[in-house]
Amino acid sequence: MLVLLMGALELCILVDNSVRESGTRAAWGLSIVCSYSGVQFLFDVGPSFRVLEHNAEVLGVDLGKTSFVVISHWHGDHSGALSEFVEKYCRGCRVYVPPLPRGSLVPENYIEVLESRSLIPGVYTTGCLSSVGLYEQALVVVTDVGACVLTGCSHPGLLRILEVAREVSGTNIYAVIGGFHGFGSRTREVEEFLRFIKENGTRMVCPCHC
């Protein structure tokens, strides 16, 4: 589990496919806890509430301080622990989610996201990008060295997400952290990504889940 510091932003990867810290547990999925200017929030919750809660305890993260949650997309490896987490730790907090299937009962504190929007000053969602019927959003946090982009699986394409994140933040992309599903399967995609990070002064690339 990786802890990263970027000015006012502190990140800790709570759930990932592999572990680094002794005593933590791996799970096929992703969850990242962020602290930004004193506000704590979660990006995805992973597949298992037990793993999420256990790792938080081992790493000294107080889940009860969570102000809001952002779910990248509705695959279970990113959202499976959501209902239990909200029930125990975050009953009244905002949960920013991609559109739910028609007819679904949407809890009062769930906010369906389509377009990019500001969540708190300096923190934005890219809005939902589509990929073969799947909606996925990424999180953009503006720091004093540039934007940090958190991705769930990058189903819509990693480069596409970064281009939208640059537009949303209005600054360079300093870091990209999260799932890079399918990335690198085409040589041209890798070349375009390398060109993008060179042009944008990207200094941190951290592939996690998938």
Side-chain angles (χ1 to χ4, degrees):
M1 306 306 171
L2 182 66
V3 177
L4 302 170
L5 295 171
M6 283 174 278
L9 173 63
E10 179 178 338
L11 303 175
C12 179
I13 299 171
L14 287 179
V15 179
D16 196 3
N17 301 359
S18 59
V19 298
R20 189 181 78 168
E21 299 295 332
S22 176
T24 56
R25 298 172 184 170
W28 181 265
L30 182 70
S31 179
I32 302 174
V33 62
C34 310
S35 177
Y36 182 73
S37 299
V39 180
Q40 179 174 298
F41 50 94
L42 277 184
F43 179 71
D44 286 342
V45 292
S48 166
F49 176 67
R50 287 186 178 182
V51 172
L52 177 70
E53 186 175 53
H54 171 83
N55 288 350
E57 290 176 356
V58 171
L59 295 169
V61 174
D62 184 355
L63 294 175
K65 293 182 178 179
T66 304
S67 295
F68 63 90
V69 181
V70 178
I71 297 297
S72 63
H73 63 297
W74 283 118
H75 285 172
D77 46 350
H78 296 261
S79 63
L82 183 60
S83 59
E84 288 180 271
F85 171 76
V86 170
E87 177 66 24
K88 183 169 181 179
Y89 290 106
C90 207
R91 284 192 181 186
C93 74
R94 295 160 290 153
V95 183
Y96 296 96
V97 300
L100 288 152
R102 288 185 179 180
S104 298
L105 183 62
V106 181
E108 192 172 299
N109 58 324
Y110 282 30
I111 302 169
E112 291 184 296
V113 175
L114 282 175
E115 304 295 330
S116 63
R117 60 184 295 175
S118 172
L119 306 183
I120 59 173
V123 179
Y124 306 87
T125 166
T126 58
C128 282
L129 308 176
S130 62
S131 172
V132 195
L134 174 71
Y135 288 104
E136 182 173 340
Q137 61 180 326
L139 200 61
V140 185
V141 184
V142 178
T143 77
D144 55 0
V145 291
C148 174
V149 182
L150 304 183
T151 63
C153 266
S154 300
H155 288 295
L158 181 58
L159 200 58
R160 182 183 174 197
I161 290 171
L162 293 178
E163 288 169 346
V164 172
R166 182 173 57 184
E167 293 176 7
V168 168
S169 66
T171 187
N172 65 299
I173 306 300
Y174 177 83
V176 53
I177 301 164
F180 290 9
H181 182 72
F183 175 74
S185 58
R186 298 186 301 274
T187 302
R188 181 180 176 184
E189 182 181 32
V190 175
E191 291 174 347
E192 290 176 346
F193 175 71
L194 292 174
R195 186 181 304 113
F196 179 92
I197 64 174
K198 182 179 180 180
E199 292 174 352
N200 282 272
T202 304
R203 292 291 178 264
M204 183 181 296
V205 179
C206 181
C208 302
H209 164 66
C210 73

